[in-house]
């Protein structure tokens, strides 16, 4: 948990600052917001107040009901000056969006509103995320102002390139994505502030593809959504996350490291290289149990054939192999995608047979959950008992899995 002071200046991208607040609070950070008067023409204070659960300030002379305190702090007994107290308490000050005008004021030390006075008083790290029309972005004055800020140690999070707010305009100037902004904030706050800081988490996701010839493969319907959700939630708790991604086409989280693989053999090699350094392994990938015994060089021709038989050979069970050489303090979580009756029994069998700490069982015969779906319904099996997670988003299921890992690790610490 860290304290984020978010300064919102005037621009259409102010609406994206709401998402920054949502992601940061979801990650367990305490957030306070200050706005410029122009920012309030784009997004009202009530929206930020509702998401942060704290008063939003615009004016230096406005009384702060929280007296400069963040959600995890007791307000002081006196009324401090807000522009001093907020930055004194914050672990970092992120100004997003920073308009061309606000960038200019910050560069030249102007302090004509609460946002800019707080920036001048800040001894914590300051991050500036500009957002503006591409002509304003490209103007030498803006670029010189940003160079001044960078020289003074301010982290500038460059805007992206794409469609801009004005109709038919395209160029550089759109605010960086909210997840990138939260990641930039987390990169500058002291480590140890979040519950999983320092923990190394290895996750496999997606489905392997086993070549039949140069263009065809034997594969499965796993999209990688469940593994990616676990990765994002673990990164939000502060963990250093590596995902071994088997054929996943989903958006990637800026704070997660991704290693791409295609086949079960490549996934096994990547796991072998990464496993020793991991504290936690979450094996969400659907790994092929069988592969074509011999992939054909080039492309198989259909001419002259009435039928085509594929000979498949078993692949090594990656998870069992890793479990056989685990360190006792590592936490190993497997998945069991079962079809229909007996799912929990099969899952329990995998828990003991594969030597795991937890198995996440889902019944893929239920429509709308599991493979290639946005939602899931699972039962998390551990030696200590079962937890049923009713149908919900994969992000919620991921949080339940991380909760189980927390309990398993706490039990292991007490036992040792
Ligand atoms: N798994 C693995 N290597 C394989 C196959 C599976 O590491 N070659 C892992 C999966 O990532 C998952 C767990 O093992 O975490 C369970 O996979 P599953 O295919 O359901 O288990 P199997 O033991 O192959 O049993 P089944 O007979 O149900 O296929």
């Amino acid at each position: 948990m860290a304290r984020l002071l978010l300064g919102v200046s005037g621009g259409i991208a102010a609406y994206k600052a709401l998402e920054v607040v949502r992601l940061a609070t979801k990650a367990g950070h305490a957030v306070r917001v200050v706005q410029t008067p122009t920012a309030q023409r784009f997004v009202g204070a009530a929206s930020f107040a509702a998401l942060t659960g704290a008063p939003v300030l615009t004016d230096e002379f406005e009384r702060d009901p929280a007296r400069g305190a963040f959600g995890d702090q007791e307000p002081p007994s006196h009324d401090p000056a807000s522009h001093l107290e907020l930055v004194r308490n914050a672990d970092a000050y992120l100004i997003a969006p920073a308009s061309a005008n606000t960038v200019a004021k910050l560069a030249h030390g102007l302090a004509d509103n609460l946002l800019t006075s707080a920036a001048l008083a800040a001894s914590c790290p300051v991050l500036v995320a500009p957002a503006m029309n591409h002509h304003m972005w490209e103007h030498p004055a803006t670029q010189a102002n940003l160079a001044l800020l960078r020289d003074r140690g301010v982290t500038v999070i460059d805007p992206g390139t794409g469609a801009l707010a004005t109709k038919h305009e395209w160029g550089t100037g759109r605010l960086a994505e909210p997840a990138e902004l939260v990641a930039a904030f987390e990169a500058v706050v002291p480590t140890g502030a979040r519950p999983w800081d320092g923990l190394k988490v290895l996750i496999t996701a997606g489905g392997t593809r086993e070549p039949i010839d140069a263009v065809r493969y034997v594969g499965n319907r796993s999209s990688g959504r469940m593994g990616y959700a676990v990765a994002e939630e673990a990164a939000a708790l502060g963990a250093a996350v590596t995902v071994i991604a088997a054929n996943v086409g989903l958006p990637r989280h800026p704070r997660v490291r991704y290693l791409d693989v295609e086949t079960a053999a490549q996934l096994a090699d990547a796991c072998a290289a990464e496993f020793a350094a991991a504290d936690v392994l979450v094996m969400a990938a659907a790994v092929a149990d069988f592969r074509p015994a011999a992939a054909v060089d080039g492309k198989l021709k259909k001419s002259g054939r009435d039928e085509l038989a594929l000979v498949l050979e078993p692949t090594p069970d990656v998870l069992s192999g890793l479990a056989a050489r685990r360190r006792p303090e590592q936490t190993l979580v497997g998945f069991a995608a079962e079809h229909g009756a007996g799912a929990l029994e099969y899952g329990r069998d995998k828990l003991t047979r594969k030597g795991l700490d937890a198995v996440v069982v889902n019944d893929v015969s239920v429509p709308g959950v599991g493979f290639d779906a946005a939602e899931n319904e699972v039962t998390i099996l551990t030696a200590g008992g079962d937890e049923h997670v009713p149908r919900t988003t994969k992000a919620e299921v991921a949080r339940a899995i991380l909760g189980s890992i927390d309990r398993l690790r706490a039990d292991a610490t007490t036992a040792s």
Side-chain angles (χ1 to χ4, degrees), residues 344-364:
L344 292 186
E345 285 66 38
Y346 285 124
R348 270 189 208 99
D349 171 59
K350 280 172 197 173
L351 185 68
T352 45
R353 181 164 49 84
K354 298 200 184 205
L356 307 176
D357 300 296
V359 168
V360 182
V361 182
N362 64 336
D363 182 351
V364 288

Short mmCIF file of all heavy atoms in Angstrom, two decimals, residues 344-364:
data_model
loop_
_atom_site.label_atom_id
_atom_site.label_comp_id
_atom_site.label_asym_id
_atom_site.label_seq_id
_atom_site.Cartn_x
_atom_site.Cartn_y
_atom_site.Cartn_z
N LEU A 344 -14.65 -32.71 -8.91
CA LEU A 344 -13.90 -32.48 -7.67
C LEU A 344 -13.03 -33.67 -7.32
O LEU A 344 -11.89 -33.50 -6.84
CB LEU A 344 -14.86 -32.16 -6.51
CG LEU A 344 -15.59 -30.82 -6.62
CD1 LEU A 344 -16.41 -30.55 -5.36
CD2 LEU A 344 -14.62 -29.67 -6.86
N GLU A 345 -13.54 -34.87 -7.57
CA GLU A 345 -12.75 -36.08 -7.26
C GLU A 345 -11.49 -36.10 -8.14
O GLU A 345 -10.38 -36.38 -7.65
CB GLU A 345 -13.57 -37.37 -7.49
CG GLU A 345 -14.60 -37.65 -6.41
CD GLU A 345 -15.71 -36.61 -6.37
OE1 GLU A 345 -16.14 -36.14 -7.46
OE2 GLU A 345 -16.13 -36.22 -5.26
N TYR A 346 -11.67 -35.79 -9.44
CA TYR A 346 -10.49 -35.76 -10.32
C TYR A 346 -9.50 -34.69 -9.83
O TYR A 346 -8.29 -34.89 -9.86
CB TYR A 346 -10.91 -35.44 -11.76
CG TYR A 346 -11.57 -36.59 -12.49
CD1 TYR A 346 -12.84 -36.47 -13.04
CD2 TYR A 346 -10.91 -37.82 -12.62
CE1 TYR A 346 -13.45 -37.53 -13.70
CE2 TYR A 346 -11.51 -38.88 -13.28
CZ TYR A 346 -12.78 -38.73 -13.82
OH TYR A 346 -13.37 -39.77 -14.47
N GLY A 347 -10.04 -33.56 -9.39
CA GLY A 347 -9.19 -32.47 -8.90
C GLY A 347 -8.41 -32.91 -7.67
O GLY A 347 -7.20 -32.65 -7.57
N ARG A 348 -9.11 -33.58 -6.73
CA ARG A 348 -8.42 -34.04 -5.51
C ARG A 348 -7.31 -35.00 -5.86
O ARG A 348 -6.24 -34.99 -5.27
CB ARG A 348 -9.42 -34.70 -4.56
CG ARG A 348 -10.02 -33.69 -3.63
CD ARG A 348 -10.85 -34.26 -2.51
NE ARG A 348 -11.82 -33.23 -2.18
CZ ARG A 348 -13.07 -33.20 -2.59
NH1 ARG A 348 -13.55 -34.19 -3.31
NH2 ARG A 348 -13.85 -32.20 -2.27
N ASP A 349 -7.60 -35.86 -6.83
CA ASP A 349 -6.59 -36.83 -7.26
C ASP A 349 -5.35 -36.09 -7.78
O ASP A 349 -4.21 -36.45 -7.46
CB ASP A 349 -7.20 -37.73 -8.36
CG ASP A 349 -6.14 -38.60 -8.99
OD1 ASP A 349 -5.51 -39.36 -8.24
OD2 ASP A 349 -5.91 -38.48 -10.22
N LYS A 350 -5.57 -35.00 -8.55
CA LYS A 350 -4.42 -34.24 -9.10
C LYS A 350 -3.63 -33.55 -7.99
O LYS A 350 -2.41 -33.44 -8.06
CB LYS A 350 -4.91 -33.18 -10.12
CG LYS A 350 -5.20 -33.82 -11.46
CD LYS A 350 -5.85 -32.91 -12.46
CE LYS A 350 -6.43 -33.79 -13.56
NZ LYS A 350 -7.25 -33.11 -14.53
N LEU A 351 -4.35 -33.08 -6.95
CA LEU A 351 -3.69 -32.41 -5.81
C LEU A 351 -2.64 -33.34 -5.20
O LEU A 351 -1.50 -32.93 -4.99
CB LEU A 351 -4.75 -32.03 -4.77
CG LEU A 351 -4.32 -31.22 -3.56
CD1 LEU A 351 -3.92 -29.81 -3.95
CD2 LEU A 351 -5.46 -31.15 -2.52
N THR A 352 -3.03 -34.59 -4.96
CA THR A 352 -2.08 -35.51 -4.32
C THR A 352 -1.11 -36.11 -5.33
O THR A 352 0.10 -36.12 -5.11
CB THR A 352 -2.82 -36.65 -3.58
OG1 THR A 352 -3.85 -37.13 -4.44
CG2 THR A 352 -3.42 -36.18 -2.28
N ARG A 353 -1.64 -36.54 -6.49
CA ARG A 353 -0.78 -37.22 -7.48
C ARG A 353 0.32 -36.29 -7.98
O ARG A 353 1.46 -36.72 -8.16
CB ARG A 353 -1.66 -37.70 -8.64
CG ARG A 353 -0.93 -38.44 -9.73
CD ARG A 353 -1.88 -39.22 -10.63
NE ARG A 353 -3.02 -38.45 -11.11
CZ ARG A 353 -3.00 -37.66 -12.18
NH1 ARG A 353 -1.90 -37.52 -12.88
NH2 ARG A 353 -4.09 -37.00 -12.56
N LYS A 354 -0.01 -34.99 -8.19
CA LYS A 354 1.00 -34.08 -8.75
C LYS A 354 1.81 -33.38 -7.64
O LYS A 354 2.73 -32.62 -7.94
CB LYS A 354 0.34 -33.03 -9.65
CG LYS A 354 -0.37 -33.65 -10.88
CD LYS A 354 -0.59 -32.65 -12.00
CE LYS A 354 -1.38 -33.28 -13.14
NZ LYS A 354 -1.14 -32.64 -14.43
N GLY A 355 1.48 -33.61 -6.38
CA GLY A 355 2.24 -33.01 -5.28
C GLY A 355 2.08 -31.50 -5.21
O GLY A 355 3.06 -30.75 -5.12
N LEU A 356 0.81 -31.02 -5.24
CA LEU A 356 0.54 -29.57 -5.29
C LEU A 356 0.00 -29.05 -3.96
O LEU A 356 -0.46 -29.82 -3.12
CB LEU A 356 -0.48 -29.30 -6.40
CG LEU A 356 -0.10 -29.86 -7.78
CD1 LEU A 356 -1.21 -29.61 -8.78
CD2 LEU A 356 1.21 -29.25 -8.27
N ASP A 357 0.01 -27.71 -3.81
CA ASP A 357 -0.58 -27.09 -2.62
C ASP A 357 -2.04 -26.74 -2.86
O ASP A 357 -2.83 -26.67 -1.92
CB ASP A 357 0.20 -25.81 -2.27
CG ASP A 357 1.65 -26.13 -1.98
OD1 ASP A 357 1.90 -26.85 -1.00
OD2 ASP A 357 2.52 -25.71 -2.77
N ALA A 358 -2.39 -26.48 -4.11
CA ALA A 358 -3.80 -26.17 -4.43
C ALA A 358 -4.09 -26.57 -5.87
O ALA A 358 -3.19 -26.55 -6.72
CB ALA A 358 -4.06 -24.67 -4.25
N VAL A 359 -5.34 -26.96 -6.09
CA VAL A 359 -5.80 -27.23 -7.46
C VAL A 359 -7.09 -26.44 -7.67
O VAL A 359 -8.01 -26.48 -6.84
CB VAL A 359 -6.05 -28.73 -7.70
CG1 VAL A 359 -6.80 -28.96 -9.00
CG2 VAL A 359 -4.72 -29.48 -7.75
N VAL A 360 -7.12 -25.68 -8.76
CA VAL A 360 -8.30 -24.88 -9.10
C VAL A 360 -9.11 -25.71 -10.11
O VAL A 360 -8.65 -25.92 -11.24
CB VAL A 360 -7.89 -23.53 -9.71
CG1 VAL A 360 -9.13 -22.69 -10.02
CG2 VAL A 360 -6.94 -22.79 -8.78
N VAL A 361 -10.28 -26.17 -9.69
CA VAL A 361 -11.07 -27.05 -10.54
C VAL A 361 -12.18 -26.25 -11.20
O VAL A 361 -12.89 -25.50 -10.53
CB VAL A 361 -11.74 -28.17 -9.69
CG1 VAL A 361 -12.52 -29.13 -10.59
CG2 VAL A 361 -10.71 -28.92 -8.88
N ASN A 362 -12.31 -26.37 -12.51
CA ASN A 362 -13.52 -25.83 -13.12
C ASN A 362 -14.14 -26.85 -14.05
O ASN A 362 -13.44 -27.68 -14.64
CB ASN A 362 -13.31 -24.47 -13.80
CG ASN A 362 -12.36 -24.53 -14.97
OD1 ASN A 362 -11.54 -25.41 -15.05
ND2 ASN A 362 -12.49 -23.58 -15.87
N ASP A 363 -15.48 -26.81 -14.08
CA ASP A 363 -16.23 -27.76 -14.90
C ASP A 363 -16.49 -27.09 -16.25
O ASP A 363 -17.34 -26.21 -16.36
CB ASP A 363 -17.53 -28.11 -14.18
CG ASP A 363 -18.35 -29.13 -14.96
OD1 ASP A 363 -17.98 -29.43 -16.12
OD2 ASP A 363 -19.35 -29.63 -14.41
N VAL A 364 -15.73 -27.52 -17.26
CA VAL A 364 -15.83 -26.84 -18.56
C VAL A 364 -17.06 -27.28 -19.35
O VAL A 364 -17.29 -26.81 -20.46
CB VAL A 364 -14.54 -27.04 -19.41
CG1 VAL A 364 -13.41 -26.22 -18.85
CG2 VAL A 364 -14.14 -28.51 -19.52
#
